[in-house]
Amino acid sequence: MPGTPPTRFVYLGPEGTFTEAALRTLPAAERGLRTPARSVPEALEAVRSGDADAALVPLENSVGGAIPVTLDELATGSPLVITREVVIPVEFRLAARDLIPLARIRTVAAHPQASAQCRNWLLAHLPDATVVDVLSNATAAIAAAAGEYDAALCAPIGVPRNGLTVLADKVADHADAVTRFALLTRPGPVGEPTGDDVTSLAVSIRHDQVGALLAVLTELSVRGINLSRIESRPTGEQLGTYVFFLDCTGHVAETRMGEALQGLRRICAEVRFLGSYPRHRLTREDPVPSPPGLSDSDFADSAAWLSRLRAGEIH
């Protein structure tokens, strides 16, 4: 991250959730001040107002999909940019105040998303237990520690923090589930390309323009830019108007991405730049190479050739 590194971090709270666990994987956040916020809008407003340097909020889950409130916030209000993404496994644990047999559990506190991601495990192992909705994974752990419920579904970080005993580990139905978080700051100089980057955009198209979405996708595909994610959200203005959120491989400093952004600017009602940042690698796989003739060096070479033609240097 260019410039002065952030020292004041705000995150979607409360303490003891996956968001805090994700934030604490960042060395600067581990050393800095970490403050929980009650909601995504509150976390982002703290950055916009200058009360915090950066905010970490959930962006999408591999099981539940995108987080609508985060997308809506990114599309409206004063611009914020993603400077880093964090991806962590979503591993739920069944924990209780004391070590008790599963057969004795009658009530389980859980956030609705947690119980949804552990539904089959709960049916198989706790068929007679009542699952009680609570506000967060941290709230579930706190309530179980207080004896309000027999057990809780919670994030790993919540177990030692509340002195709980693990009754069952990795109880989610999808063993490979992950959540992707975005670290957002106020706009500033963009970091240098790493060769394996993501550029995020929020694009509004004219709803009365035939083939508008196809035109957007064409601007990317003809330049060899891979679209790794596309998500639509209603604008709230009228039925049939949407904002499209795009994650593209590449960096704003690269020639081909720059050309694509210029093309989108010409054909779209609005293009909001949400940041260029290093891709979080879940494995050691290499970035997908550009097709022949569509690498950034190819675009730079063709631009230089055109400049020579315009200068009369024809060979």
Side-chain angles (χ1 to χ4, degrees), residues 40-55:
V40 169
E42 182 179 286
L44 300 189
E45 182 55 34
V47 178
R48 288 182 170 122
S49 66
D51 291 335
D53 302 320

Side-chain angles (χ1 to χ4, degrees), residues 211-225 260 264 267:
L213 182 56
L214 177 59
V216 167
L217 301 180
T218 300
E219 290 291 336
L220 302 175
S221 64
V222 297
R223 294 174 175 87
I225 296 173
L264 294 177
I267 65 174

Side-chain angles (χ1 to χ4, degrees), residues 131-153:
V131 178
V132 182
D133 289 346
V134 295
L135 294 176
S136 68
N137 298 308
T139 302
I142 292 169
E148 298 176 26
Y149 304 100
D150 295 332
L153 285 176

